[in-house]
Amino acid sequence: MTLSLDSQQLESYVPVYDAVPEKWEDARPFIVEQLKKLANGVNSREIGFFLDQELLSGKAFIPGVNIASEGGSSQQFRTVLRKVITFPSLSIGTNSQLHGITVDANFSLIQMFGGATDATALTGEPLPNGSDTITYDSTKVYVTVAAAYTRAWVIMEYMQEL
């Protein structure tokens, strides 16, 4: 999808209208346009599902690699995907889990965050935090922590296209 500068495609609120033209010939294009705005408004919302499988986040990413010779355009929407990686526990030091995501030349990380819980001590912390880190490679996610936790999750949001 190409973005026009005078477009209302980036409008994130569902429009409110109180007047529809009386004649069907005038009302039909008006209603079609309002339905498009409604669909764009609803579809541009972040989806609240956090699952351990790759799914759409509901986000669209516009900035990107602009390789004109390959038909690229920085004004093209890119789909942002989300996946939750579960760590059954974290021990002090570096812990790893397979992520099952295709990491290749087209992969771009958007954000990576998480949380760790100690169900025994009833404590927890966001990840990364202070000296605690989250990193990834082509097959695994790594969480390095200074304290042990009984469970943790890492959420990766990424694109699979330039």
Side-chain angles (χ1 to χ4, degrees):
M1 175 186 307
T2 303
L3 179 66
S4 131
L5 294 178
D6 62 340
S7 171
Q8 290 184 345
Q9 290 176 341
L10 297 180
E11 186 66 40
S12 61
Y13 294 98
V14 176
V16 178
Y17 297 95
D18 59 351
V20 176
E22 300 257 344
K23 292 182 181 178
W24 175 245
E25 299 80 34
D26 298 330
R28 185 171 189 261
F30 176 84
I31 291 170
V32 167
E33 188 60 32
Q34 300 320 306
L35 289 172
K36 287 179 185 177
K37 289 179 182 178
L38 179 64
N40 285 337
V42 170
N43 291 335
S44 68
R45 302 288 190 223
E46 183 174 347
I47 298 169
F49 296 115
F50 287 81
L51 303 175
D52 60 355
Q53 58 190 346
E54 185 175 85
L55 70 137
L56 295 172
S57 68
K59 298 176 181 179
F61 198 85
I62 295 176
V65 178
N66 193 5
I67 306 171
S69 64
E70 296 178 13
S73 169
S74 63
Q75 294 301 306
Q76 182 177 355
F77 284 101
R78 289 151 181 86
T79 301
V80 177
L81 302 167
R82 175 187 298 142
K83 187 170 185 181
V84 176
I85 293 69
T86 302
F87 285 77
S89 65
L90 293 176
S91 55
I92 295 172
T94 301
N95 303 263
S96 67
Q97 286 290 329
L98 294 170
H99 54 61
I101 299 169
T102 302
V103 177
D104 58 16
N106 292 322
F107 177 91
S108 295
L109 181 69
I110 302 301
Q111 64 178 343
M112 188 164 56
F113 59 94
T117 300
D118 183 336
T120 306
L122 304 177
T123 61
E125 71 172 314
L127 296 171
N129 184 22
S131 62
D132 298 342
T133 62
I134 308 173
T135 59
Y136 74 94
D137 64 19
S138 63
T139 58
K140 293 182 178 180
V141 172
Y142 301 91
V143 176
T144 304
V145 291
Y149 294 95
T150 56
R151 61 182 172 264
W153 290 274
V154 171
I155 294 91
M156 294 180 71
E157 291 188 346
Y158 53 93
M159 296 182 303
Q160 294 283 19
E161 56 189 319
L162 291 178

